[in-house]
Amino acid sequence: MFNSLSDRLTATFKNLRGKGRLTEADVDATVREIRRALLDADVAVSVVREFTGRVRERALGAEVSGALNPSQQIVKIVNEELVEILGGETRRIRLAKTGPTIIMLAGLQGAGKTTLAGKLSKWLKSQGHSPMLVACDLQRPNAVTQLQVVGQRAGVPVFAPHPGATSTELDHPAGDPVAVARAGVDEARQKLHDVVIVDTAGRLGVDAEMMEQARQIRRAIVPNEVLFVVDSMIGQDAVNTALAFDEGVNFTGIVLSKLDGDARGGAALSVASITGKPVMFASTGEGVDDFELFHPDRMASRILDMGDVLTLIEQAEKSWDKDEAARMAKKFADQEDFTLDDFLAQMQQIRNMGSMKKMLMMMPGAQNIRQQLEQFDEREIDRVEAIVRSMTPHERVAPKIINGSRRARIAKGSGMHVSDVNGLLERFAQAQKMMKKMAAGGGMPGMPGMPGMGGGGPRKGAKNAPKKKARSGNPAKAAQELREAEARRANAGNALPTGASFGQQGADFDPSQLNLPKGFDKFLGGSK
């Protein structure tokens, strides 16, 4: 969404590097480029004027003139001002003290309200709530059916006493949405649902009839939150629409839909600043799980190409298989060989986290390799799985026995070419070396010693490297050695963080230690 803006701002800041002192002309030139970048991104003119004014005032002040690195100080100022216009702090749903929390969705037709209702319900369900959807959009053809389908995908019940309009009944009365909303809240209260999400009707444009209906629903159910759903791709018109809805229903928060699109993204930077209402959620894809809490500071970091490692860690923690991580930690402690089965399991762990492109775009400096990331084929993990599953169990643990005839058989069984099998085995050999290096405490290539991994242990070729101790022939002594080895293994397992094989460190993770190895995209599989 913010690729163009991010590229322009990154290029602007590059011009400041290496300057020990910034003149007023340097500041003016930088502010001018920032202004052009924001205007090209469809940010409202009034927001741009206010933003650049604050940046210029601060850049000419003492905090920059007295800084050791003025260019970094300028970036810091721009980051702080971006956070401010995006809402400042993360805003969460205000839950009702008694009874169900009522959330009303409002917005234009096509903004994605119905789909977002399912995403929001799925997210709330993952937070331990028991949500229910209420179908009050009785005017758009098949809107009720769509909400029922979305609710089924999210695993959330839908209250829909009226079928709503269909494509053959456009001229017939579609029922009373106010009565449906009121009955839906009563139903949720009786069935002990703690959250009610009311999906309302929209129009292709703001009109008096739609706004009056929204007002009546608001008065009837008295919602705790009224969320205005805005299409992130509509540009400057998002501001006018937001102001109209704010005047009509007095919404309490904003939800940005279609944030994964290729539009310029000016709506996200304009709506919150002009209305004074916080952006609370963002829809980042078509799947029911492509939904996240909006963090202004993290979004500002993404725009400035500083990454969003915290969100990346949160996604990893939600999807990471703890049992699989414990098994890999045990293999590290025992210094067992990393097999193709392990390689496949780790690839599947990464796939469970979501889109590889989205994850890698959250890394600091990802804009520099955006072209390679856009060419990355998400189906590569499926190809890896097909090739590995075409191998025999023995071949997976001893890939060195895979000769030419075996490679031809594996390629035929997986529907791939022999060159694909060769490429996978080469990448696996690199991964195997990497895992051995990590198990020995050397860290990943291109990365410092991993926390909890011993960092800087003996390397290949180092003198006095410890050798594996032979087990005693005395049964009693051998049993004692075995108990001691088990104790060492348990201690090593406790020292290893969950998911250590891919550097996911949970609460102890230090983003400053993260540095993508050179050729990382080739290790992941490259592009077809």
Side-chain angles (χ1 to χ4, degrees):
M1 172 60 72
F2 296 107
N3 290 340
S4 176
L5 176 60
S6 182
D7 288 344
R8 291 284 297 271
L9 292 178
T10 302
T12 300
F13 296 140
K14 280 183 180 178
N15 297 330
L16 298 177
R17 292 178 184 172
K19 293 190 175 183
R21 179 177 173 275
L22 296 182
T23 64
E24 185 173 350
D26 293 330
V27 172
D28 288 339
T30 301
V31 171
R32 185 164 54 250
E33 288 301 319
I34 293 174
R35 182 185 300 112
R36 289 175 179 171
L38 293 174
L39 290 174
D40 286 345
D42 270 343
V43 180
V45 175
S46 59
V47 176
V48 173
R49 188 179 296 115
E50 184 179 356
F51 178 85
T52 53
R54 288 199 302 264
V55 170
R56 186 180 188 279
E57 182 181 354
R58 292 182 59 183
L60 293 175
E63 61 181 311
V64 173
S65 61
L68 295 176
N69 192 325
S71 63
Q72 289 183 359
Q73 198 70 15
I74 292 286
V75 175
K76 177 176 178 291
I77 291 172
V78 173
N79 179 66
E80 291 173 354
E81 294 298 333
L82 277 176
V83 172
E84 189 64 28
I85 68 171
L86 286 170
E89 297 180 355
T90 302
R91 164 80 152 74
R92 302 176 185 272
I93 291 177
R94 297 190 182 115
L95 300 174
K97 295 181 179 178
T98 58
T101 300
I102 303 172
I103 302 173
M104 174 181 167
L105 302 182
L108 294 179
Q109 184 174 312
K113 291 192 305 298
T114 302
T115 304
L116 192 130
K119 294 181 178 182
L120 177 58
S121 65
K122 178 73 179 296
W123 182 82
L124 287 167
K125 187 177 179 181
S126 70
Q127 302 293 311
H129 296 284
S130 174
M132 187 183 80
L133 299 171
V134 179
C136 290
D137 185 356
L138 307 181
Q139 297 175 351
R140 181 168 61 88
N142 299 315
V144 174
T145 303
Q146 181 188 357
L147 186 66
Q148 290 172 329
V149 172
V150 171
Q152 184 178 9
R153 291 178 180 173
V156 174
V158 178
F159 180 76
H162 195 287
T166 64
S167 57
T168 60
E169 299 175 343
L170 293 178
D171 298 329
H172 291 73
D176 185 1
V178 179
V180 172
R182 191 183 292 112
V185 173
D186 293 339
E187 178 79 4
R189 189 174 288 111
Q190 291 174 10
K191 294 191 175 179
L192 302 180
H193 291 283
D194 65 343
V195 180
V196 183
I197 302 173
V198 180
D199 180 30
T200 63
R203 296 286 194 284
L204 295 177
V206 177
D207 61 37
E209 183 183 355
M210 174 194 65
M211 205 60 72
E212 180 58 31
Q213 184 184 103
R215 288 194 195 98
Q216 290 177 5
I217 293 175
R218 197 187 201 289
R219 285 194 295 264
I221 61 177
V222 191
N224 301 93
E225 297 280 8
V226 179
L227 302 184
F228 170 59
V229 183
V230 58
D231 185 343
S232 301
M233 303 176 71
I234 65 175
Q236 293 272 354
D237 196 46
V239 174
N240 298 328
T241 305
L243 289 173
F245 271 91
D246 191 25
E247 182 181 354
V249 296
N250 188 25
F251 59 80
T252 59
I254 301 165
V255 181
L256 298 174
S257 65
K258 307 177 187 178
L259 203 61
D260 58 321
D262 57 358
R264 298 171 181 176
L269 298 175
S270 305
V271 174
S273 178
I274 287 181
T275 64
K277 304 297 175 65
V279 179
M280 294 175 60
F281 297 101
S283 174
T284 58
E286 297 180 359
V288 73
D289 292 314
D290 296 329
F291 181 81
E292 61 186 44
L293 190 65
F294 188 86
H295 299 277
D297 54 340
R298 301 184 190 181
M299 184 58 66
S301 293
R302 292 188 201 182
I303 293 173
L304 296 179
D305 197 24
M306 296 189 294
D308 186 1
V309 179
L310 290 176
T311 298
L312 188 61
I313 293 171
E314 289 175 358
Q315 291 182 359
E317 287 176 337
K318 285 192 296 185
S319 60
W320 204 265
D321 187 335
K322 303 296 189 298
D323 294 335
E324 175 63 22
R327 186 183 70 83
M328 286 303 302
K330 185 175 183 299
K331 287 182 73 78
F332 269 73
D334 293 344
Q335 295 191 2
E336 297 178 12
D337 288 337
F338 183 69
T339 68
L340 277 161
D341 281 325
D342 299 327
F343 183 73
L344 178 60
Q346 295 296 300
M347 284 291 189
Q348 290 172 333
Q349 288 269 66
I350 293 177
R351 179 168 59 182
N352 291 339
M353 292 171 60
S355 168
M356 285 293 301
K357 292 179 184 178
K358 289 182 180 179
M359 286 193 297
L360 292 175
M361 284 303 294
M362 293 182 191
M363 305 291 281
Q367 293 293 337
N368 296 328
I369 57 170
R370 190 177 73 236
Q371 186 174 0
Q372 295 94 308
L373 293 179
E374 289 176 351
Q375 295 174 352
F376 178 76
D377 192 346
E378 296 279 1
R379 296 171 297 177
E380 184 64 25
I381 295 179
D382 295 328
R383 299 187 183 101
V384 169
E385 183 173 0
I387 293 173
V388 174
R389 295 201 184 283
S390 296
M391 300 177 183
T392 66
H394 184 51
E395 288 171 341
R396 296 179 196 177
V397 297
K400 290 184 179 180
I401 69 170
I402 303 178
N403 53 23
S405 61
R406 289 177 185 261
R407 296 181 187 219
R409 188 205 78 237
I410 293 168
K412 186 176 181 181
S414 60
M416 306 294 288
H417 298 290
V418 174
S419 59
D420 297 320
V421 178
N422 293 338
L424 171 63
L425 292 175
E426 289 175 5
R427 294 198 301 276
F428 171 72
Q430 295 172 7
Q432 200 172 37
K433 291 178 182 178
M434 186 185 299
M435 296 307 169
K436 286 182 179 179
K437 184 181 178 77
M438 290 173 65
M444 287 180 69
M447 299 178 72
M450 304 296 289
M453 299 292 293
R459 299 175 180 267
K460 185 176 179 181
K463 293 182 179 181
N464 302 322
K467 297 182 179 179
K468 194 171 182 179
K469 186 178 179 181
R471 186 168 294 175
S472 172
N474 186 322
K477 191 172 181 180
Q480 177 64 23
E481 290 176 350
L482 184 60
R483 286 193 294 271
E484 292 175 354
E486 288 290 342
R488 286 195 301 271
R489 185 160 53 240
N491 291 334
N494 290 333
L496 283 169
T498 302
S501 55
F502 275 84
Q504 196 275 317
Q505 304 296 326
D508 297 329
F509 184 80
D510 182 3
S512 66
Q513 294 180 331
L514 202 51
N515 179 22
L516 277 175
K518 188 175 181 181
F520 188 65
D521 56 327
K522 295 181 181 179
F523 165 68
L524 291 173
S527 58
K528 292 286 176 184

